[in-house]
Amino acid sequence: VEVEETYIMIKPDGVQRGLVGEIISRFEKKGFKLTGLKLFQCPKELAQEHYKDLQSKPFFPKLIDYITSGPVVCMAWEGVGVVASARKLIGATNPLNAEPGTIRGDLAVQTGRNVVHGSDSPENGKREIALWFKEGELCEWAPVQEPWLKE
Ligand code: DAT
Ligand code: MG
């Protein structure tokens, strides 16, 4: 498994419900490296581009309304196997099917209010980080804990 990047986003319900710290801390505690972070009001066009694979779905308009209904927290995280690991920490798309211990399993009940997004492949991780962050908004840095996380 390689060092990867993933795009994690706390959706407007997560921000409104005061879950920002709780959600960020789960990725921090796991041992991944935060390389980008901002609070952001997403324009409709960006939401549509982000979810373009779902364009033809009946729920697409509602999804775009939801994602643009308030500020989101945009994050880039880096680490060994971070893409799949973050998806596990997040849990199933429908929070009612998400295992306890996962973010959606612990903190959400409906698919249309599932509090957090995570990229589904390393390619999409790169694509989404490039979509949501401008150059200069990402930081390359060496956490002091690194030798205690990697053999
Ligand atoms: P995930 O967010 O787990 O990667 P996805 O990429 O299939 O799931 O869908 C993106 C978002 O679209 C999802 O978080 C919530 C919404 N969505 C997906 N399937 C839905 C459905 N059947 N009804 C309503 N909203 C749905
Ligand atoms: Mg997805």
Side-chain angles (χ1 to χ4, degrees):
V1 194
E2 320 220 322
V3 175
E4 302 168 346
E5 299 169 284
T6 193
Y7 177 66
I8 303 293
M9 177 168 70
I10 303 173
K11 297 178 180 179
D13 50 332
V15 175
Q16 289 288 351
R17 292 175 54 209
L19 299 174
V20 170
E22 162 83 33
I23 293 171
I24 293 177
S25 74
R26 295 198 179 203
F27 298 97
E28 258 189 331
K29 286 181 207 161
K30 173 73 176 173
F32 294 126
K33 177 165 80 172
L34 184 65
T35 57
L37 173 67
K38 66 179 176 185
L39 187 69
F40 182 61
Q41 174 62 54
C42 168
K44 253 195 164 79
E45 300 69 40
L46 179 57
Q48 287 164 342
E49 177 64 23
H50 174 79
Y51 281 124
K52 67 177 179 198
D53 291 352
L54 301 172
Q55 229 160 19
S56 61
K57 302 281 185 191
F59 58 80
F60 187 72
K62 265 176 68 180
L63 176 61
I64 300 307
D65 284 348
Y66 162 47
I67 293 300
T68 57
S69 64
V72 295
V73 174
C74 308
M75 293 180 276
W77 289 88
E78 186 184 292
V80 175
V82 70
V83 173
S85 180
R87 298 271 298 180
K88 278 191 188 164
L89 292 176
I90 288 170
T93 303
N94 182 341
L96 291 179
N97 299 330
E99 294 296 327
T102 65
I103 295 168
R104 288 168 175 167
D106 289 348
L107 305 174
V109 286
Q110 281 210 301
T111 303
R113 297 286 186 272
N114 64 7
V115 302
V116 65
H117 165 83
S119 308
D120 61 9
S121 69
E123 298 70 42
N124 276 334
K126 282 198 193 328
R127 177 182 84 87
E128 291 169 3
I129 289 168
L131 194 61
W132 288 87
F133 287 98
K134 293 187 208 133
E135 242 182 67
E137 286 183 332
L138 300 169
C139 288
E140 226 8 274
W141 61 293
V144 291
Q145 63 172 349
E146 222 150 61
W148 299 98
L149 281 161
K150 290 186 198 160
E151 297 178 73

